[in-house]
Amino acid sequence: MTTHSVNSPQFFLTAPSACPYLESEMERKVFTHLVGPKASELNDLLTQGGFRRSQNIAYRPACETCRACISVRILADEFKPGKTLRRVTGANTDLISTDYAAEPSTEQYTLFRKYLGSRHQSGGMAEMTIGDYAMMVEDTHVNSRVIEYRLREPGDGIAENPAGRLVAVALTDVMGDGLSMVYSFFDPEETKRSLGTYMILDHIRMAQARGLPHVYLGYWVKNSPKMGYKTRFQPQEHLMPQGWRRHEG
């Protein structure tokens, strides 16, 4: 197995491919491997520098003509939800979240396939098998967790594992300065719950409880409708050429 020092990781550049967010653009990515005993330390440094993790790979856009992808992190310790976001929390008081080691399950995969079939039928993940899903969850050398959200059943809070129906899942990295939401999915039929928004709110709550200042949301693209939700969580910072800068919007 190839190993890399946190002080001297090896970086590689992908070939150009069609951008999934802006139809007129081509994307390239720079990436490195997150392996070895210092993988978590390297993941922290790279995430703070605008990288994202996928399995044991850290990557960030390196497009030749476009700089539209902006890294976003919520300032969790300053966050106070407005009326609309408080309503989302109120609509999900019957859910219970449980933090597990990064281990996949058939139940998670069934929900994952249902989510993809409704939201991302033609995306890059559309053909993922249960083996592919398992690799996405467990192929990690960093401190990764799976957060399951289930309907609350009588006895939950006493039993070790909640037994209610699974409605949402988040794959999350625990870092020295925050939580990084690597990937999340939910039951697309539960439209009134706004589960995607609720999971972000719950991660802000978890960050606050742990004394962590940030929740990392990945990339925001100004002209991409599918990315617009990320600016709802204020205050937040965007990674600019000058470093992390407060963004109001």
Side-chain angles (χ1 to χ4, degrees):
M1 179 181 292
T2 302
T3 60
H4 303 278
S5 166
V6 68
N7 298 315
S8 58
Q10 299 178 32
F11 291 90
F12 307 90
L13 188 64
T14 65
S17 61
C19 176
Y21 305 116
L22 301 176
E23 292 183 1
S24 60
E25 298 292 342
M26 300 291 288
E27 72 167 358
R28 301 189 76 177
K29 296 175 182 176
V30 60
F31 70 94
T32 190
H33 296 276
L34 294 169
V35 294
K38 293 189 175 182
S40 287
E41 183 181 348
L42 179 58
N43 187 49
D44 279 23
L45 291 171
L46 291 177
T47 301
Q48 292 160 9
F51 280 71
R52 294 289 286 165
R53 185 182 71 81
S54 176
Q55 296 178 219
N56 64 2
I57 297 290
Y59 68 91
R60 68 168 296 171
C63 307
E64 297 176 357
T65 61
C66 179
R67 296 294 182 269
C69 291
I70 305 295
S71 294
V72 174
R73 67 185 185 188
I74 301 166
L75 299 176
D77 48 358
E78 298 182 41
F79 177 80
K80 294 181 179 180
K83 184 176 180 180
T84 299
L85 293 179
R86 289 198 301 271
R87 281 201 296 265
V88 172
T89 298
N92 290 283
T93 55
D94 59 340
L95 297 187
I96 184 169
S97 64
T98 309
D99 182 329
Y100 294 103
E103 298 178 356
S105 71
T106 302
E107 189 179 18
Q108 292 169 15
Y109 179 70
T110 299
L111 181 61
F112 176 69
R113 291 303 319 173
K114 184 176 182 180
Y115 172 78
L116 291 182
S118 174
R119 299 296 184 96
H120 303 285
Q121 294 181 0
S122 59
M125 293 182 165
E127 303 302 321
M128 285 180 65
T129 66
I130 191 169
D132 296 327
Y133 174 76
M135 288 293 289
M136 182 179 79
V137 173
E138 65 187 6
D139 187 11
T140 175
H141 293 254
V142 306
N143 186 8
S144 301
R145 309 294 295 178
V146 168
I147 317 299
E148 290 189 349
Y149 296 84
R150 294 178 179 272
L151 292 174
R152 190 181 300 272
E153 294 280 346
D156 283 345
I158 300 175
E160 182 177 352
N161 296 309
R165 182 168 63 87
L166 183 68
V167 297
V169 176
L171 177 61
T172 301
D173 290 347
V174 181
M175 300 167 40
D177 74 327
L179 303 177
S180 178
M181 298 186 71
V182 176
Y183 192 76
S184 60
F185 54 94
F186 52 85
D187 187 339
E189 295 180 2
E190 295 282 353
T191 55
K192 294 182 179 180
R193 293 182 178 274
S194 300
L195 286 167
T197 296
Y198 177 70
M199 281 190 283
I200 295 174
L201 292 170
D202 192 56
H203 277 68
I204 295 171
R205 177 195 62 78
M206 288 189 290
Q208 292 171 340
R210 295 172 185 234
L212 298 173
H214 305 121
V215 173
Y216 289 83
L217 294 185
Y219 301 117
W220 170 68
V221 179
K222 183 177 182 180
N223 295 319
S224 175
K226 66 177 70 174
M227 294 287 193
Y229 72 93
K230 294 187 178 183
T231 57
R232 298 175 63 193
F233 304 90
Q234 298 288 336
Q236 63 181 229
E237 292 181 329
H238 290 188
L239 185 58
M240 310 305 291
Q242 306 83 8
W244 288 99
R245 294 291 184 267
R246 200 176 186 95
H247 175 83
E248 306 289 347

